[in-house]
Amino acid sequence: MDISNGTGRWDGLGSRDTSTREIAMENVSQEVLSRAEKIGPISEEVIQPLRSPVRSPDDLNWMLARLLMLSRRCPHADVREKCLSVLQNVQDIGIRIPRPLGQGPSRFIPEKEILQVNKVNAKMQVIFEDAFAALGRLDNISLVMGFHPQYLESFLRTQHYLLQMDGPLSLHCRHYIGIMAAARHQCSNLVNLHVNDFLQVGGDPKWLNGLKDAPQKLQHLGELNKILAHRPWLVTKAHIEQLLKAEEHSWSLAELIHAVVLLTHYHSLASFTFSCGISPEIHCDGGHTFRPPSVSNYCACDIANGNGTLDEIQGNHALTDTPCEVEALMEKMKQLQECRDEEEASQEEMATRFEREKTESMLVAAAEDEDSVPTRDVSRHFEDPSYGYKDFSRRGEHVPTFRAQDYSWEDHGYSLVNRLYPDVGQLLDEKFQIAYNLTYNTMAMHQDVDTSMLRRAIWNYIHCMFGIRYDDYDYGEINQLLDRSFKVYIKTMVCSPEKTTKRMYDSFWRQFKHSEKVHVNLLLMEARMQAELLYALRAITHYMT
Ligand SMILES: CC(C)C[C@H](N)C(=O)O
């Protein structure tokens, strides 16, 4: 059968002859569709991507990549099977089909440790089906979050609400704001995902050329995006006023709240994506290939870029080089608990401890690893790519102290959001609480441990980096519990997540389980989101009063 280039073989790269290509393309989609229909009664998930018009090699590739993704990630077993047989049928007529790249949802965590869609319990099955029904996919982020089902449920509920339920912003704008936010951290995974979604809900492809081609109103949001991502303490009511009072293209208060929540959601999700080494989605760029597998699966470049094989070659030192790290940490927690009951530091001393920790945190340099994975250029989506965290931390910028008793999530932020964007305040509050309180009372191989002190230290350290101080917390605890290399990790994840490498992920808390490292990453993400949100909401409150 003549498909694309007269050779009877579709090579996935495209033919140069436009006229033959157009006719041939139609033939191909017809052929695929009729093969799919022959498989038997078929669900909408399978048929829908096959119905979209195929006018170019790219369209065909897109369709095949989606089928591949469904065959691996759809929570419905029958759909997975059908997609697989459609792909096999397509291959039989001489069309090259894609195969997934990479070893699963995360580059850092072995696939066998992560939940697989075909092996989940009834509760997870429902969560996955709901997630799939909402967005037509089950992404790698959700699979990795599956280590913590209670959190995952709350995360998905919130994200679904923000992206798809009634709200002030149109659907395509929501995805575009997601793209803008993720692009600030060069998070091409999230950018690609939302570029797909943006186009699917009818977004104008022209906007994807860059912020300059998007409407003025969105362009105005660029400045807030930038400051929130890198120096949220500089957000003032003037920024809010500029957006709300613009003569033309002004934002309504409700729209602005929606946008702010989306920006902070995607900044922090970029942190999570990098910190867990989330792989590109199967159907997106970098998630699949049309090339046949090479003779050997072993690739020297994987060693060079630190993506996997090094440990296997050198042997895993995790259990040998720091044998009592966990016990030492538990001992410190115990000692601190005992001291707590004994002496109480003066208010002045407590304030000094906070300032010391804050200043020090500014000087902790985010890690620079020559193995950083180069990212695809996503800079066109935002202006001023040089405006990152590094620039000012080098200069040792002073971060003013934000007193939590003057403006906290519980007492102020929550009700402001709820007033202007009903239900979202509630959803976020639930998600923050779940993340903050999540515990299995374990520390690596130890059971029945109260870990609240450690989790609180992590959360408060992140807020401290943003200048946020709780006057009832003794910041001396942070120094006892978080060692320098862990602080470097936190700083990198929160401030320059794009610099994360597998080596960094591997080298902190070596004896802890992957699920515990993901747990740490959830704390980082939520604490970061809340900190950014607090600054934005405080500025909005100042504007309103
Ligand atoms: C982040 C970890 C220290 C959390 C711990 N495994 C717990 O269940 O509380």
Side-chain angles (χ1 to χ4, degrees):
M1 181 193 156
D2 185 16
I3 299 157
S4 64
N5 50 16
T7 62
R9 187 151 199 94
W10 172 251
D11 62 6
L13 295 171
S15 123
R16 279 176 205 91
D17 180 346
T18 334
S19 56
T20 16
R21 190 171 66 195
E22 267 167 23
I23 304 161
M25 281 299 116
E26 243 163 58
N27 287 347
V28 173
S29 59
Q30 279 305 317
E31 188 68 28
V32 173
L33 199 59
S34 76
R35 300 253 165 177
E37 274 159 359
K38 274 187 213 133
I39 296 174
I42 212 156
S43 63
E44 199 42 39
E45 284 96 343
V46 178
I47 215 78
Q48 183 247 333
L50 306 181
R51 284 210 190 103
S52 52
V54 172
R55 290 192 208 91
S56 69
D58 279 352
D59 288 348
L60 179 64
N61 287 353
W62 184 85
M63 180 164 107
L64 295 174
R66 258 198 79 80
L67 276 167
L68 175 70
M69 179 274 285
L70 290 169
S71 75
R72 300 288 175 125
R73 293 285 195 265
C74 180
H76 306 281
D78 60 323
V79 176
R80 286 199 302 272
E81 277 158 30
K82 277 177 188 150
C83 290
L84 204 58
S85 51
V86 175
L87 281 171
Q88 268 155 7
N89 273 279
V90 169
Q91 191 172 29
D92 291 347
I93 57 173
I95 299 178
R96 189 171 287 171
I97 58 165
R99 62 188 173 86
L101 275 174
Q103 306 92 17
S106 158
R107 292 186 295 115
F108 299 168
I109 308 171
E111 186 169 15
K112 60 180 188 316
E113 298 206 25
I114 298 173
L115 270 184
Q116 327 244 308
V117 277
N118 55 350
K119 291 185 203 133
V120 292
N121 61 26
K123 182 167 186 262
M124 268 327 259
Q125 181 67 23
V126 174
I127 300 180
F128 280 175
E129 282 177 14
D130 287 352
F132 187 80
L135 274 173
R137 57 174 148 81
L138 184 61
D139 52 38
N140 292 334
I141 293 178
S142 306
L143 288 172
V144 172
M145 283 180 182
F147 277 119
H148 306 286
Q150 195 199 2
Y151 174 84
L152 173 65
E153 214 177 351
S154 164
F155 171 86
L156 288 173
R157 204 180 310 130
T158 309
Q159 186 171 258
H160 179 54
Y161 201 97
L162 290 175
L163 289 177
Q164 281 148 324
M165 304 294 276
D166 266 359
L169 293 172
S170 60
L171 295 186
H172 63 284
C173 274
R174 302 177 194 193
H175 290 294
Y176 196 79
I177 292 171
I179 297 170
M180 286 170 67
R184 278 256 42 115
H185 285 307
Q186 293 138 56
C187 186
S188 45
N189 274 4
L190 285 175
V191 168
N192 288 336
L193 212 56
H194 288 279
V195 161
N196 263 325
D197 292 342
F198 172 79
L199 294 172
Q200 254 182 1
V201 296
D204 180 351
K206 220 180 81 206
W207 297 13
L208 298 174
N209 293 333
L211 198 52
K212 58 172 191 351
D213 286 326
Q216 284 271 314
K217 193 166 157 175
L218 283 164
Q219 289 183 31
H220 290 165
L221 196 64
E223 185 68 11
L224 187 64
N225 180 25
K226 190 165 81 178
I227 301 179
L228 270 181
H230 305 292
R231 306 183 195 180
W233 48 88
L234 295 185
V235 178
T236 62
K237 74 177 201 184
H239 294 110
I240 305 301
E241 196 167 65
Q242 273 164 19
L243 291 165
L244 298 179
K245 286 255 175 82
E247 292 199 345
E248 273 176 279
H249 319 290
S250 68
W251 289 74
S252 75
L253 204 49
E255 287 172 334
L256 183 63
I257 294 274
H258 194 172
V260 159
V261 175
L262 283 166
L263 288 174
T264 57
H265 178 83
Y266 283 103
H267 292 154
S268 51
L269 196 55
S271 283
F272 183 81
T273 302
F274 284 113
S275 63
C276 292
I278 301 291
S279 311
E281 298 303 325
I282 292 179
H283 62 296
C284 291
D285 256 11
H288 60 274
T289 177
F290 284 87
R291 294 215 181 87
S294 57
V295 192
S296 144
N297 288 330
Y298 187 76
C299 170
C301 56
D302 278 342
I303 306 175
N305 63 23
N307 282 340
T309 35
L310 209 57
D311 269 351
E312 288 155 29
I313 297 160
Q314 296 181 334
N316 199 330
H317 301 295
L319 295 172
T320 49
D321 59 356
T322 44
C324 24
E325 185 193 38
V326 183
E327 289 74 12
L329 192 51
M330 284 167 62
E331 186 54 37
K332 278 201 186 131
M333 285 158 66
K334 216 170 105 202
Q335 279 170 11
L336 279 171
Q337 190 64 52
E338 283 158 8
C339 296
R340 243 187 204 173
D341 307 333
E342 280 168 21
E343 44 141 2
E344 230 177 56
S346 69
Q347 272 305 314
E348 226 178 9
E349 171 60 19
M350 295 274 269
T352 313
R353 287 180 190 173
F354 169 78
E355 290 300 328
R356 197 183 303 140
E357 202 56 56
K358 185 181 79 179
T359 316
E360 258 183 46
S361 81
M362 287 312 297
L363 299 172
V364 171
E368 290 277 359
D369 193 319
E370 69 280 11
D371 290 344
S372 290
V373 186
T375 43
R376 242 167 55 98
D377 178 29
V378 286
S379 56
R380 60 173 196 225
H381 295 295
F382 58 91
E383 306 153 291
D384 194 4
S386 62
Y387 187 101
Y389 191 86
K390 191 168 93 191
D391 308 310
F392 70 85
S393 60
R394 283 247 170 95
R395 282 185 250 124
E397 178 169 317
H398 171 72
V399 178
T401 295
F402 179 133
R403 299 181 341 149
Q405 69 265 38
D406 297 341
Y407 201 95
S408 69
W409 167 255
E410 289 77 17
D411 297 335
H412 309 86
Y414 166 71
S415 54
L416 177 64
V417 179
N418 246 3
R419 195 146 30 100
L420 295 165
Y421 188 9
D423 297 340
V424 166
Q426 188 64 41
L427 286 165
L428 291 175
D429 189 53
E430 217 175 86
K431 182 159 68 75
F432 290 143
Q433 285 198 38
I434 290 176
Y436 188 88
N437 294 320
L438 188 69
T439 181
Y440 307 88
N441 297 310
T442 56
M443 289 273 282
M445 52 298 217
H446 299 271
Q447 315 277 330
D448 300 319
V449 189
D450 178 358
T451 60
S452 51
M453 183 184 271
L454 183 57
R455 290 179 288 109
R456 190 173 181 204
I458 297 173
W459 185 281
N460 285 355
Y461 182 63
I462 293 152
H463 278 196
C464 173
M465 278 170 25
F466 285 96
I468 301 172
R469 179 185 169 210
Y470 299 87
D471 64 357
D472 58 348
Y473 183 68
D474 177 2
Y475 287 83
E477 287 187 9
I478 289 177
N479 252 347
Q480 301 285 318
L481 299 174
L482 315 184
D483 62 32
R484 192 162 168 91
S485 67
F486 189 42
K487 284 181 178 173
V488 171
Y489 175 80
I490 296 181
K491 175 97 174 220
T492 312
M493 292 318 116
V494 174
C495 302
S496 345
E498 59 281 4
K499 302 227 173 79
T500 318
T501 61
K502 182 171 190 307
R503 190 176 317 172
M504 290 177 204
Y505 173 89
D506 284 339
S507 50
F508 86 95
W509 279 16
R510 283 171 166 259
Q511 292 163 308
F512 285 80
K513 302 193 176 81
H514 286 296
S515 63
E516 292 178 299
K517 293 194 173 191
V518 173
H519 189 164
V520 169
N521 292 337
L522 290 179
L523 284 169
L524 304 188
M525 160 164 101
E526 292 298 334
R528 175 185 181 185
M529 174 165 184
Q530 195 182 76
E532 270 189 40
L533 209 49
L534 279 175
Y535 278 106
L537 296 173
R538 187 179 67 166
I540 293 175
T541 303
H542 285 169
Y543 165 81
M544 289 166 68
T545 48

